[in-house]
Amino acid sequence: MAIALVLVLVVIGSVLFHVLSPWWWTPIASNWGYIDSTLVVTFWITGAVFSAVVLFMAYCVYRFRHKEGQKAAYEPESRKLESWLTLITAVGVAAMLAPGLYVWKQFVTVPKDATEVEVVAQQWQWSFRLPGADGKLGTSNARLINSDNPLGINPEDPNGQDDVVVEAADLHLPIDKPVKMLLRSIDVLHDFYVPEFRAKMDMVPGMVTYFWFTPTRTGTFEVLCAELCGTGHGFMRGIVMVDTAQDYTTWLQQQSTFAQLTGPAKVGALVEKAKAAAKLE
Ligand SMILES: [Cu+2]
């Protein structure tokens, strides 16, 4: 009897905790309200199943408690019960997966007017690259990385010369403009995650992964690495600031391009190094 009561209290407590909990998501700052809705659907479905199972358990504990002279009946199979349990489970699982597929389709369908921003992860810092005046990012290659060219930008690619390089510093983004985040890692697996944007993606050495979003609120947001990437993983933090269009332009004008950072003399040297690296391939 006491056990049954405890089980009922566990259900009531869990539901109340979910509804009244002061710990909830950070206020959203992107267009991905869908991600929140999907999670809410999953919460309610799993919550309903949890409540039903625990309440059924409480009922059984009470109803079939020990009584003198009562014997349990053995029923190894019940087709009817199995059929509708299978049906309900299938509907529940589909209801949890379908919204996710719908949102995922949008998550990887990048709008045409999205500007590209490259994020480069390495143990244990974040760097960024913007396309510059021509709107195109230059090509890059991990083999070209050295102390003068930490992001491995191809010095021979004219598109890369005006690329804005933000090394181990804060990234700024303009509000209400869709951005396509191109994610690269130059050592191990990392994961670019800004909780307020409700978007994250693994960064895999040797490939470029991506997602897109539109920042909908100005402010300062913390970048976290969401993939255990070594001893400094917990300290791998960065800052993304979402600015008004005017503040963004002011910030952008203060940044240096790849050509400015390397200087004409060094670009020549980098080209030599690039050619030497190409020969090795
Ligand atoms: Cu990391």
Side-chain angles (χ1 to χ4, degrees):
M1 183 69 196
I3 300 280
L5 204 65
V6 167
L7 289 171
V8 172
L9 286 176
V10 165
V11 171
I12 296 173
S14 304
V15 174
L16 283 180
F17 181 80
H18 177 77
V19 177
L20 303 175
S21 168
W23 300 289
W24 198 236
W25 303 317
T26 47
I28 191 166
S30 84
N31 59 314
W32 291 124
Y34 277 144
I35 303 256
D36 289 5
S37 317
T38 314
L39 287 175
V40 168
V41 168
T42 304
F43 265 139
W44 284 112
I45 293 175
T46 50
V49 171
F50 170 78
S51 304
V53 168
V54 178
L55 288 178
F56 177 68
M57 199 153 70
Y59 166 78
C60 291
V61 166
Y62 174 74
R63 175 82 172 68
F64 305 110
R65 66 192 184 280
H66 174 73
K67 274 186 208 140
E68 215 51 65
Q70 203 169 52
K71 262 192 157 185
Y74 177 57
E75 193 182 332
E77 204 166 338
S78 165
R79 282 209 135 214
K80 211 170 134 197
L81 183 69
E82 278 166 27
S83 315
W84 71 258
L85 274 183
T86 306
L87 191 76
I88 290 183
T89 310
V91 170
V93 171
M96 283 193 287
L97 292 183
L101 288 173
Y102 177 73
V103 178
W104 176 254
K105 169 85 167 43
Q106 309 198 7
F107 196 65
V108 292
T109 309
V110 183
K112 283 204 174 67
D113 58 338
T115 41
E116 294 189 328
V117 174
E118 185 185 69
V119 184
V120 183
Q122 71 185 95
Q123 290 172 321
W124 289 277
Q125 66 179 37
W126 302 99
S127 299
F128 306 95
R129 183 159 66 114
L130 304 165
D134 64 358
K136 282 182 200 152
L137 284 169
T139 50
S140 59
N141 189 328
R143 289 179 198 278
L144 303 175
I145 292 169
N146 57 52
S147 55
D148 293 326
N149 186 4
L151 304 188
I153 300 168
N154 181 359
E156 287 181 276
D157 186 345
N159 290 336
Q161 297 299 319
D162 67 346
D163 286 2
V164 173
V165 176
V166 184
E167 204 204 338
D170 304 350
L171 171 70
H172 288 235
L173 292 173
I175 189 167
D176 292 333
K177 292 267 189 296
V179 279
K180 180 181 185 184
M181 308 300 277
L182 297 164
L183 310 172
R184 275 205 298 142
S185 167
I186 56 181
D187 40 42
V188 299
L189 283 180
H190 297 276
D191 188 301
F192 183 76
Y193 179 39
V194 178
E196 287 87 348
F197 296 159
R198 304 292 195 270
K200 68 205 273 272
M201 180 77 70
D202 269 12
M203 318 172 81
V204 185
M207 66 190 278
V208 180
T209 51
Y210 68 89
F211 65 78
W212 77 275
F213 73 103
T214 304
T216 52
R217 173 159 73 84
T218 55
T220 304
F221 307 105
E222 196 169 26
V223 182
L224 308 170
C225 181
E227 186 73 64
L228 186 58
C229 59
T231 51
H233 166 67
F235 306 104
M236 191 167 166
R237 310 269 172 121
I239 295 287
V240 175
M241 289 176 82
V242 176
D243 292 335
T244 57
Q246 202 181 1
D247 287 351
Y248 177 71
T249 315
T250 314
W251 170 81
L252 195 60
Q253 279 160 358
Q254 292 162 355
Q255 304 308 307
S256 309
T257 63
F258 175 58
Q260 283 166 347
L261 281 175
T262 40
K266 276 190 179 169
V267 168
L270 285 178
V271 169
E272 289 310 310
K273 278 187 190 172
K275 280 184 180 153
K279 260 181 210 155
L280 285 177
E281 275 182 43

